[in-house]
């Protein structure tokens, strides 16, 4: 059955639930297999990098601080989000298994949306941590505490779970009486509900609500925190102190730019004008994968605390030099010294 001919089975005259959807992916791009191989490489490095970062934070007691609780949550979110998306994507397009059953499609959609939204709000929590550290340095340890950060992160998990679950549950009320070809590389929310034959106004409202809650509102909050940070830094006389404070924010700012700008631009372009499906797919796939790939690099290579912790772990686990060889060397040294004296 060709993708153009894929249609839904009709259960009755008023409601149709498809057995499967067909993921179209890219159209008319030569050598696209290389792109999927690139995503495979990105996924492998994402698993290694985030797994290493999670292990270091877990094993080193000095990193059990509110700041690294947030970093741990971000690394876990990146690892789970990439795992929810990339392996299925590779299976779909590298092995040409583009048909996905209805229930699996909704589950796929839930996990990709959930971890994407969770990454967004984790970046907001990180911005809050930097805001308090720079604007209220003397009160930092009394404001940013483990219980406070735990409550913020837990609220994010619960709220996002409820919102995303409700958004996807609304798809179950739709009737798909025409094509079941999803013009995306995964079961994306918009391309799926656009296929429905009955009223999708509520789904459209929830799509806008998700965009505001998970993209626009977090971006505004992060912008406000950095405006406040800039004002606080402008009052510092020493340029050296300003640069030192900005250095602590650099990794977070890079992640914010990489995560928010492409997805914000794609969604705005999709609403205000027409955007080619291939461009949307490339932009969306990179937005879901590159930040997760860069997160452990930024927080390992640009953060002195993590680097020092990794060095200490390496030294602790490095094999000790054999005592016998050391004693033997000392014995030979003593014998040589004795012979020289005689």
């Amino acid at each position: 059955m060709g993708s153009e001919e894929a249609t839904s089975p009709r259960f009755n005259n008023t409601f149709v639930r498809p057995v499967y959807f067909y993921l179209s992916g890219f159209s008319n791009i030569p050598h696209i297999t290389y792109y999927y191989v690139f995503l495979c490489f990105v996924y492998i490095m994402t698993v290694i990098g985030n797994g290493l970062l999670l292990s270091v934070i877990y094993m080193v007691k000095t990193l059990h601080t509110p700041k690294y609780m947030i970093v741990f949550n971000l690394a876990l979110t990146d690892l789970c989000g990439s795992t929810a998306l990339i392996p299925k994507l590779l299976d779909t397009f590298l092995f040409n298994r583009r048909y996905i059953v209805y229930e699996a499609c909704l589950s796929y959609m839930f996990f990709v949306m959930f971890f994407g939204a969770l990454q967004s709000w984790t970046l907001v929590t990180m911005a809050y941590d930097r805001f308090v550290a720079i604007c209220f340095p003397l009160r930092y340890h009394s404001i940013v505490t483990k219980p406070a950060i735990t409550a913020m992160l837990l609220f994010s998990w619960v709220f996002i779970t409820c919102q995303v679950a409700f958004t996807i549950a609304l798809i179950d009320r739709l009737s798909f009486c025409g094509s079941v070809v999803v013009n995306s590389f995964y079961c994306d929310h918009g391309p799926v509900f656009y296929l429905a034959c009955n009223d999708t106004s509520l789904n459209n409202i929830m799509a806008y609500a998700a965009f505001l809650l998970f993209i626009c509102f977090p971006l505004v909050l992060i912008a406000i925190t950095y405006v406040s940070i800039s004002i606080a830094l402008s009052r510092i006389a020493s340029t050296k102190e300003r640069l030192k404070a900005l250095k602590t924010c650099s990794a977070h700012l890079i992640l914010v730019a990489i995560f928010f700008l492409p997805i914000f631009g794609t969604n705005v372009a999709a609403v205000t004008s027409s955007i080619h499906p291939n461009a949307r797919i490339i932009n969306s796939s990179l937005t879901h994968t590159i930040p997760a790939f860069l997160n452990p690099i930024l927080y390992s290579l640009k953060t002195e605390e993590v680097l020092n912790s990794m060095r200490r772990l390496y030294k602790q686990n490095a094999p000790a030099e054999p005592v016998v060889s050391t004693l033997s060397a000392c014995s030979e040294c003593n014998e040589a010294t004795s012979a020289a004296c005689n």
Side-chain angles (χ1 to χ4, degrees), residues 43 46 50-51 53-54 69-85 111-123 125-126 153 156-157 160 259 287-289 291-293 295-296:
Y43 175 67
T46 298
N50 283 289
L53 184 59
L54 289 170
M69 286 173 61
I70 307 171
V71 175
F72 187 92
N73 188 76
L74 182 63
L76 180 63
T77 301
D78 289 338
L79 183 60
C80 294
S82 295
T83 303
L85 177 67
F111 286 111
V112 174
M113 285 184 66
F114 172 76
F115 287 114
L118 192 58
Q119 184 178 12
S120 174
W121 277 99
T122 303
L123 291 173
T125 311
M126 295 179 80
L153 295 176
S156 298
W157 279 76
I160 292 170
F259 178 79
T287 302
H288 280 91
T289 54
F293 166 67
N295 169 37

Side-chain angles (χ1 to χ4, degrees), residues 203-217:
N203 301 83
N204 205 36
I205 290 172
M206 291 306 300
Y208 278 107
F211 177 63
L212 291 173
L213 284 172
F214 302 142
I215 303 298
C216 296
F217 193 42

